[in-house]
Amino acid sequence: MGQFSGRRTFLAGAGAGAAAAAAGLPVARPAVAATGGTEVSGAPTVAVLGGGVAGLTAAHELAERGFRVTVYERRALGGKARSMDVPDSARGGRRPLPAEHGFRFIPGIYHNLPDTMRRIPFPGNPNGVWDNLVAPPEMALARTGREDLRAPLPWPGHRGAQLTLDEIRRALTALLDTVTAIPAYEVAYFVNRLVVFLTSCAERRNDTWEARPWWEFTGAARMSQDYQRILAVGVTRNIVATKAEEASTRTVASLLEAFLFNALGRGADGPLDRILDAPTNEAWIDPWTAHLTSLGVEFRIGWTVREVAYGDGRVTAALIEDPQGVRQRVTADHYISAMPVEHARRTWGPALRAADPQLARCDALRTDWMTGIQFYLTESAPLLHGHLNLIDSPWSLTAIQQAEHWPDRDFAADYGDGTAVNCLSVDISEWDRPGILYGRTAKQCTRDQVAREVWAQLKAALNDTGRTVLKDSALHSWYLDPGVSGLGTPNPVNDDELLIHPVGTFHRRPSARTRVPNFYLAGDYVAVDIDLATMEGANASARQAVNALLDRTGSTAPRCTVTPLFEAPELAPLRRHDLTRYRLGLPNLFDLG
């Protein structure tokens, strides 16, 4: 795209440089970048603070519009979405074993992130990185002491998993067991609650249902244990990573609504469940950063943002430590804070917070632990072809065996020492409940004890009905996210916590546009249409931040598209009717209490 002009903050930059010189600090400015091979030295400069999905998205959109962009990232590009190498695991010319903060899950309800993926070139793919998405044909609710509930994920052109006679028998047993375990009146009640939400107007959702915990909305306290585990807890703790007792009904039910329409093929970008066909960096992050580099984006890895300096009504600099620990004042025309909220809010000083009260409200946003561990196997386990939700596990585990979804990878030939043939990637969502092996919470366990405990909970859920699915003899090694430290001590730390959604969170989330004329916010905590801490939310928020910047500069460049979640037009009349009832102080038409 062509160049365009924007207001440049020469005075602010000069002031920052003078202050830096007076303090004896070096001043760093984003380097001149090139777009399409043409120097754009007169284009506005943007410092993107954070190189996760939000930061890379912002850099992508800005670079396409001719801005000079520099991304500052303290650790590694991709943030929580990246994959990483297991140290000292490579042998015989192979690559290191692939690890990750948590397995990727890119459902069909996402639209903004897939749009970006289509614009990232990948050799042999007409639709870029997006063509690296594959759809598992099934998923399962793994019950401890009972047959697992196995569910196909139908989609046009989707081939179902091949089943043996024994697997069919087990699937039917699990289905009947679940159907008979939850009384019919409880099922009817739950369906009614979903109907109430589906027909609720936006005002009722944002007010009444945002203030109502999901546990209370679903009447879980007076229902059976199976109702609680599957319908109340299973979704919130395992997928949304928040507790049903405190999670906002608006957040949980909005997610269920989106998945429901996705399953029906309405307004979806693709199948309900999609993952990448290779380790995340190989399939997505590395091609992305290479493409951004070709657009002229500069990357500063190992640079840690300490403070966003404010003065004279605008941001004057970002105080950043370089890889050698030297603090520098980085100046630019515009600044996009694209760090996770728990890191970003530490960089907002009193003056900046006073300039925009929404920054202070972010202190009330809460984060929790949701962290991955990988088990490398010398023989693949006979698991289903998709995600497992171990809803009875004390630590709320979810898992997927990955290598079978990587068709162009020979795991043993490509990674590690040649003896590991698969990777069972597990997410731990509950870190504050005692386990079954040591009777301790995950935070109270050492790293080795966490691995042993997770393995024990996996076996309890999967080896419980006459089959040995996981064998100790097949366990090659394990790797726990290095962002977690201090386990087993009084002060455990997680560098990569996840935003959770207790009641009231919706009203505390900030907008991408701030009151400071050259400062913008991007991240999964920023208010976007998908009310959930997701890669989609991070992507959409970055698009909104770029649009706000374009508006402020008076740019004529096209605005970023921001696609909202699908809303069924058939329900619009019922929602309009509910708006009238809401304004009259009446409950939803279908709300039976």
Side-chain angles (χ1 to χ4, degrees):
M1 297 184 180
Q3 294 179 219
F4 53 89
S5 61
R7 179 181 178 186
R8 302 199 61 189
T9 55
F10 292 113
L11 293 178
L25 295 177
V27 179
R29 291 181 175 82
V32 175
T35 301
T38 303
E39 189 173 274
V40 288
S41 57
T45 57
V46 183
V48 176
L49 311 179
V53 171
L56 294 179
T57 301
H60 194 157
E61 299 292 347
L62 289 165
E64 286 187 343
R65 289 161 175 80
F67 284 81
R68 294 185 290 159
V69 183
T70 304
V71 177
Y72 298 88
E73 166 56 41
R74 68 187 176 94
R75 188 175 51 190
L77 296 174
K80 290 192 287 287
R82 78 193 190 284
S83 56
M84 62 194 85
D85 295 337
V86 176
D88 303 318
S89 63
R91 300 287 187 278
R94 299 177 185 84
R95 285 170 281 185
L97 289 170
E100 57 203 352
H101 169 72
F103 54 71
R104 302 280 68 75
F105 173 49
I106 305 175
I109 66 173
Y110 291 3
H111 287 275
N112 298 291
L113 185 67
D115 173 70
T116 296
M117 298 177 88
R118 288 183 175 94
R119 289 154 47 207
I120 302 170
F122 193 91
N125 289 0
N127 298 302
V129 162
W130 185 86
D131 284 336
N132 292 337
L133 294 175
V134 295
E138 56 185 345
M139 60 84 65
L141 299 179
R143 306 303 308 273
T144 300
R146 297 158 70 173
E147 289 288 355
D148 301 340
L149 183 61
R150 189 169 179 166
L153 299 175
W155 193 259
H158 212 173
R159 291 184 61 186
Q162 294 182 347
L163 300 175
T164 65
L165 184 60
D166 181 62
E167 289 172 327
I168 294 172
R169 177 186 63 79
R170 290 176 180 274
L172 291 174
T173 300
L175 178 62
L176 292 173
D177 179 50
T178 303
V179 169
T180 57
I182 303 180
Y185 74 88
E186 291 186 356
V187 173
Y189 182 80
F190 185 79
V191 170
N192 171 259
R193 303 313 288 161
L194 291 182
V195 168
V196 168
F197 188 84
L198 289 172
T199 58
S200 289
C201 61
E203 287 79 357
R204 194 185 299 279
R205 293 184 180 200
N206 297 345
D207 183 7
T208 307
W209 303 142
E210 174 61 23
R212 185 79 54 85
W214 175 249
W215 185 267
E216 180 182 326
F217 179 79
T218 58
R222 62 180 184 270
M223 300 299 184
S224 65
Q225 183 178 6
D226 281 281
Y227 179 99
Q228 294 173 354
R229 294 301 304 167
I230 296 174
L231 301 178
V233 175
V235 170
T236 56
R237 197 58 187 156
N238 292 79
I239 300 178
V240 189
T242 192
K243 295 179 174 66
E245 294 83 356
E246 59 184 29
S248 153
T249 290
R250 183 191 187 279
T251 296
V252 177
S254 294
L255 177 69
L256 284 178
E257 177 185 32
F259 280 151
L260 171 63
F261 288 124
N262 189 176
L264 296 173
R266 301 293 306 281
D269 180 79
L272 189 68
D273 185 1
R274 295 181 297 187
I275 59 177
L276 291 164
D277 63 359
T280 309
N281 274 33
E282 294 181 34
W284 174 24
I285 302 300
D286 289 347
W288 199 3
T289 56
H291 179 58
L292 296 184
T293 299
S294 75
L295 294 178
V297 175
E298 299 277 347
F299 294 104
R300 301 287 184 267
I301 312 301
W303 293 58
T304 303
V305 181
R306 296 302 183 190
E307 183 182 352
V308 178
Y310 175 83
D312 297 326
R314 58 196 306 112
V315 170
T316 56
L319 276 61
I320 306 181
E321 283 185 9
D322 68 18
Q324 288 71 45
V326 177
R327 184 166 293 197
Q328 302 195 34
R329 291 178 66 94
V330 170
T331 61
D333 298 317
H334 302 275
Y335 303 80
I336 296 180
S337 177
M339 297 176 287
V341 65
E342 68 272 20
H343 298 298
R345 60 194 176 197
R346 297 173 190 157
T347 69
W348 304 334
L352 182 60
R353 287 165 174 261
D356 191 343
Q358 71 171 343
L359 299 179
R361 289 201 303 271
C362 290
D363 291 339
L365 296 176
R366 290 173 52 192
T367 58
D368 202 351
W369 290 38
M370 187 175 186
T371 304
I373 182 171
Q374 288 77 52
F375 295 95
Y376 303 97
L377 309 176
T378 56
E379 58 181 270
S380 294
L383 296 172
L384 87 163
H385 303 283
H387 285 100
L388 292 160
N389 186 336
L390 287 74
I391 61 174
D392 295 320
S393 58
W395 288 2
S396 297
L397 306 178
T398 48
I400 187 168
Q401 191 167 225
Q402 294 182 317
E404 63 196 74
H405 304 289
W406 298 350
D408 296 328
R409 300 291 185 278
D410 184 327
F411 197 94
D414 292 343
Y415 304 105
D417 61 6
T419 61
V421 301
N422 217 323
C423 172
L424 181 61
S425 186
V426 183
D427 283 355
I428 309 168
S429 296
E430 174 58 78
W431 286 77
D432 296 305
R433 286 182 60 190
I436 64 175
L437 200 58
Y438 300 103
R440 301 173 189 166
T441 69
K443 293 176 183 176
Q444 293 170 336
C445 291
T446 65
R447 295 179 72 86
D448 185 69
Q449 289 171 340
V450 167
R452 293 177 182 273
E453 178 71 52
V454 172
W455 186 252
Q457 291 186 30
L458 289 169
K459 291 195 297 182
L462 300 173
N463 292 358
D464 57 338
T465 55
R467 286 192 304 173
T468 302
V469 177
L470 295 181
K471 301 176 183 178
D472 291 338
S473 60
L475 180 56
H476 173 278
S477 57
W478 55 267
Y479 188 74
L480 177 63
D481 183 1
V484 173
S485 60
L487 292 177
T489 75
N491 300 298
V493 174
N494 187 346
D495 278 343
D496 299 294
E497 296 193 16
L498 186 70
L499 182 75
I500 60 173
H501 304 79
V503 294
T505 298
F506 173 76
H507 300 294
R508 300 185 182 106
R509 297 175 68 151
S511 65
R513 180 189 182 103
T514 75
R515 295 185 182 181
V516 181
N518 65 336
F519 185 58
Y520 312 88
L521 304 179
D524 61 11
Y525 67 97
V526 175
V528 292
D529 190 62
I530 184 168
D531 183 25
L532 190 67
T534 59
M535 296 183 292
E536 173 79 348
N539 183 279
S541 70
R543 292 165 179 250
Q544 291 184 169
V546 170
N547 284 346
L549 190 157
L550 296 176
D551 290 344
R552 282 246 174 89
T553 60
S555 169
T556 58
R559 294 330 189 233
C560 308
T561 58
V562 184
T563 304
L565 287 173
F566 174 76
E567 290 188 359
E570 299 90 336
L571 298 178
L574 290 170
R575 288 179 175 173
R576 287 195 296 269
H577 178 71
D578 186 61
L579 177 59
T580 300
R581 294 181 64 88
Y582 175 78
R583 291 175 174 173
L584 292 174
L586 299 173
N588 180 276
L589 179 66
F590 301 99
D591 195 345
L592 305 177

